[in-house]
Amino acid sequence: MEPRVGFVGLGIMGQPMALNLVKAGFAVNCWNRTAARMEPVVQAGGLAAESPAHVAELSDITITMVRDSPDVEAVVLGRKGIIEGARAKAVLIDMSTISPQVTREIAARLKERDVQMLDAPVSGGDVGAREGTLSIMVGGEQEVFERCRPVFEALGKTITYCGPTGAGQTVKLCNQVVCGLNILAMSEGLLFGAKAGVDLRVMHQAISAGAASSWMLTNLAPKVLDRDFAPGFMVDLQQKDLKLALEAARECSATLPGTALVHQLFAALQAHGEGQEGTQALVKALERLAKVEVKA
Amino acid sequence: MEPRVGFVGLGIMGQPMALNLVKAGFAVNCWNRTAARMEPVVQAGGLAAESPAHVAELSDITITMVRDSPDVEAVVLGRKGIIEGARAKAVLIDMSTISPQVTREIAARLKERDVQMLDAPVSGGDVGAREGTLSIMVGGEQEVFERCRPVFEALGKTITYCGPTGAGQTVKLCNQVVCGLNILAMSEGLLFGAKAGVDLRVMHQAISAGAASSWMLTNLAPKVLDRDFAPGFMVDLQQKDLKLALEAARECSATLPGTALVHQLFAALQAHGEGQEGTQALVKALERLAKVEVKA
């Protein structure tokens, strides 16, 4: 029998993910702080629960997809939290991006009740969530991971088992470290080209095929040249992830000077009220420093 | 009639490029400071000249492929330099990576003698030079560029006209700025993962397909994990290019804080006598900071 799946957190990522689970044939129970966000899931055939605890009561596997570490702690360990409703042998899959250390603490609390936990943060954004093409990085016991594989396959395309509890979060944070610096690379290349007076579209085309190539250069540089700062991925969320990465790096004494710089430059965007723009807005911080506008 | 092509500078890049010109049917005259490097070109059917001036006397188009700005100045403007031998309407194509400003100065000097100049730095390394698959970024008058196109087509695959004199060099330096920060991105991701204790090959595989992807992550990270620091592209050459980029950036008031950091970290490698290693050795600077070795 298909496991019954609970879903807590129906935001821009969670709602389409829950809908994909319904589409894949799972019995889905959901809960969201803003109740209206449950309606599309209910209309598709899901069930609206009363609380995270209630979701867990109704489900074999409960997924959380919320913003940050304290939000996961609240819906799992807080009043009417998942821990109150989850039965023995149930599984919690946290697909939020949060602290690896907090993940290990929550997993230990759940284990006392014989509830298993997987950390399974994703990349691929809201497009990946809608299309079911997310990349999912999973930490926890491998046997539990294998048991939950059908659920992951309904949500993502690249599913990687990364190691013990917290390893999924750590790999996700490595991903965000690389992304942040690749965005800075793209931004400094464009800024230099703009100041030096070359045709930026020609420059972009000339360097995009070779050793300078990156997903960020291919996908975000054209947006900058069109002055399109609408979010694919929001500055505020990138900042939250870089904060988690730098905290985790401090805990294990990893030295990340470039990432620290990227974090500061994104903070400068937030100071200008641009936290809800896309991460390609990083170029604006450099533009202000150098008194130029990057456009083509 | 095919133009006669001169080639000055038969190093690790220049020698295979000259051979490709011979193979393409051009009459090639060459000169190199170390005479022995001319032998393979002569054996293939080229002609060894006495000096850069002599090369220019024998050629309609003369290519220079040397290390840095002073080397180009020496072989073009120095004693027995190209300017002494070049006839009116001849073309100099400088394929070295040098200062855009020095490029403009040399072009102005040549113009006084009615000699045209194109700056045409390349990327793609010694492999691209041997296989004739270089990416070539060209600055100068467009009409001269079109006239020289058959020569470029014998040497490279992606040939981009970038704009007036110096634009090729500027685009190449933009390329190097992006490359440098993409190497730092790859290095910080690996260092963080190593310190945090995740399986680095699993991590690399998980993040390589998505938004963190780059040529550097795909091609250099596996070398780091194998502790292979043999040069694809050497730290000393990357440093030379970043020095040119930061000098050009200063001249046009471009602010490149990340590139400055990358330049400093590469300098730390040079302090350890690692200038002849590949650019993936950047991770070693971070390893020393954080007291860890990145391997899998």
Side-chain angles (χ1 to χ4, degrees):
Chain A
M1 210 182 76
E2 290 279 10
R4 296 164 302 162
V5 180
F7 211 108
V8 172
L10 301 170
I12 193 169
M13 296 293 290
Q15 192 186 72
M17 290 165 74
L19 287 168
N20 279 336
L21 289 167
V22 174
K23 244 181 268 171
F26 291 101
V28 174
N29 313 296
C30 66
W31 182 83
N32 192 67
R33 199 168 43 186
T34 306
R37 302 261 329 155
M38 294 191 272
E39 276 168 28
V41 183
V42 171
Q43 275 167 26
L47 190 144
E50 305 287 326
S51 66
H54 189 208
V55 169
E57 273 171 44
L58 299 170
S59 307
D60 304 302
I61 296 171
T62 300
I63 295 171
T64 48
M65 190 60 174
V66 293
R67 188 184 163 92
D68 204 349
S69 311
D71 307 298
V72 178
E73 289 178 310
V75 297
V76 176
L77 305 177
R79 197 173 145 271
K80 295 193 183 173
I82 288 161
I83 199 167
E84 293 182 9
R87 278 155 307 104
K89 312 293 176 198
V91 179
L92 170 70
I93 306 177
D94 177 33
M95 302 190 79
S96 326
T97 296
I98 69 163
S99 153
Q101 183 51 36
V102 171
T103 296
R104 286 185 286 264
E105 289 162 13
I106 295 172
R109 289 283 303 278
L110 289 169
K111 194 156 197 176
E112 293 167 6
R113 307 280 187 105
D114 201 18
V115 175
Q116 301 274 3
M117 178 171 175
L118 298 174
D119 49 303
V122 305
S123 78
D126 54 332
V127 175
R130 279 197 302 277
E131 296 177 354
T133 57
L134 293 167
S135 172
I136 309 177
M137 294 148 271
V138 189
E141 288 184 22
Q142 189 152 11
E143 173 271 320
V144 179
F145 165 68
E146 293 301 345
R147 199 142 41 92
C148 295
R149 191 183 278 277
V151 171
F152 291 127
E153 283 172 351
L155 299 172
K157 205 175 58 174
T158 311
I159 297 144
T160 310
Y161 176 71
C162 298
T165 299
Q169 296 294 354
T170 300
V171 167
K172 172 69 190 286
L173 296 181
C174 290
N175 185 76
Q176 297 305 78
V177 161
V178 176
C179 284
L181 276 161
N182 284 352
I183 297 167
L184 184 60
M186 178 275 288
S187 300
E188 293 204 2
L190 289 177
L191 184 99
F192 176 42
K195 275 295 217 180
V198 293
D199 182 316
L200 294 179
R201 290 198 197 276
V202 168
M203 184 271 274
H204 181 252
Q205 201 197 336
I207 76 172
S208 285
S213 70
S214 70
W215 190 96
M216 294 299 173
L217 188 66
T218 301
N219 292 281
L220 295 192
K223 291 190 184 191
V224 172
L225 297 184
D226 293 338
R227 306 305 290 173
D228 170 9
F229 295 108
F233 190 66
M234 239 180 239
V235 168
D236 284 342
L237 288 172
Q238 178 73 23
Q239 273 303 70
K240 185 213 83 176
D241 292 356
L242 290 180
K243 184 200 68 173
L244 291 169
L246 289 167
E247 282 172 3
R250 192 165 52 225
E251 282 162 18
C252 65
S253 304
T255 314
L256 306 177
T259 303
L261 172 62
V262 171
H263 192 52
Q264 293 294 317
L265 291 172
F266 276 125
L269 297 184
Q270 292 175 309
H272 281 262
E274 293 159 348
Q276 311 224 356
E277 298 193 356
T279 49
Q280 69 273 25
L282 187 62
V283 77
K284 291 188 184 182
L286 300 177
E287 288 177 340
R288 287 184 197 111
L289 287 169
K291 210 175 171 185
V292 69
E293 188 166 274
V294 173
K295 65 181 172 192
Chain B
M1 209 183 76
E2 291 279 10
R4 295 165 303 161
V5 180
F7 211 107
V8 171
L10 301 171
I12 193 168
M13 296 292 291
Q15 192 185 72
M17 291 166 73
L19 287 168
N20 280 335
L21 289 168
V22 175
K23 242 180 272 172
F26 291 102
V28 173
N29 312 295
C30 66
W31 183 83
N32 192 67
R33 196 167 47 185
T34 306
R37 303 263 327 157
M38 292 191 272
E39 275 167 29
V41 182
V42 171
Q43 275 167 27
L47 191 143
E50 306 287 326
S51 65
H54 188 209
V55 169
E57 275 170 43
L58 300 170
S59 307
D60 305 301
I61 296 172
T62 300
I63 295 172
T64 48
M65 191 58 174
V66 293
R67 188 184 163 92
D68 204 348
S69 311
D71 307 300
V72 178
E73 290 178 310
V75 297
V76 176
L77 305 177
R79 196 173 147 271
K80 295 193 183 172
I82 288 161
I83 199 167
E84 294 183 9
R87 279 153 307 105
K89 309 294 175 199
V91 179
L92 169 71
I93 307 178
D94 177 33
M95 302 190 78
S96 326
T97 297
I98 69 164
S99 153
Q101 183 52 35
V102 170
T103 296
R104 286 185 285 264
E105 288 162 16
I106 295 172
R109 289 284 300 280
L110 289 169
K111 194 156 198 177
E112 293 167 7
R113 307 282 188 102
D114 201 18
V115 175
Q116 299 274 3
M117 178 171 175
L118 298 175
D119 48 305
V122 305
S123 78
D126 53 334
V127 175
R130 279 197 302 276
E131 296 176 355
T133 57
L134 293 168
S135 172
I136 308 176
M137 293 148 272
V138 189
E141 286 183 25
Q142 189 151 13
E143 172 270 320
V144 179
F145 164 69
E146 293 301 345
R147 199 143 40 93
C148 295
R149 191 185 275 278
V151 171
F152 292 127
E153 283 172 352
L155 299 172
K157 205 176 58 174
T158 313
I159 297 144
T160 311
Y161 176 72
C162 298
T165 298
Q169 296 294 354
T170 300
V171 168
K172 171 69 190 287
L173 296 182
C174 290
N175 185 76
Q176 297 305 77
V177 161
V178 176
C179 284
L181 276 161
N182 284 353
I183 296 167
L184 184 60
M186 178 274 288
S187 301
E188 292 204 2
L190 289 177
L191 184 100
F192 176 41
K195 275 294 217 182
V198 293
D199 182 316
L200 294 179
R201 288 198 199 279
V202 168
M203 183 272 273
H204 181 252
Q205 202 197 334
I207 75 172
S208 285
S213 70
S214 70
W215 190 97
M216 295 298 174
L217 188 66
T218 300
N219 292 281
L220 295 192
K223 292 190 183 191
V224 172
L225 298 184
D226 293 337
R227 306 305 290 172
D228 170 8
F229 296 108
F233 190 65
M234 238 180 242
V235 168
D236 283 342
L237 287 173
Q238 178 73 23
Q239 273 302 70
K240 185 213 83 176
D241 292 355
L242 290 180
K243 183 200 68 172
L244 291 169
L246 289 167
E247 281 171 5
R250 192 165 52 226
E251 281 162 19
C252 65
S253 304
T255 315
L256 306 177
T259 303
L261 172 62
V262 171
H263 193 52
Q264 292 294 315
L265 291 171
F266 276 126
L269 297 184
Q270 293 176 308
H272 281 261
E274 294 160 348
Q276 312 224 354
E277 298 193 356
T279 49
Q280 70 273 24
L282 186 63
V283 77
K284 291 187 185 184
L286 300 176
E287 288 177 340
R288 287 184 197 111
L289 287 169
K291 212 178 169 183
V292 69
E293 188 166 275
V294 174
K295 64 183 173 190

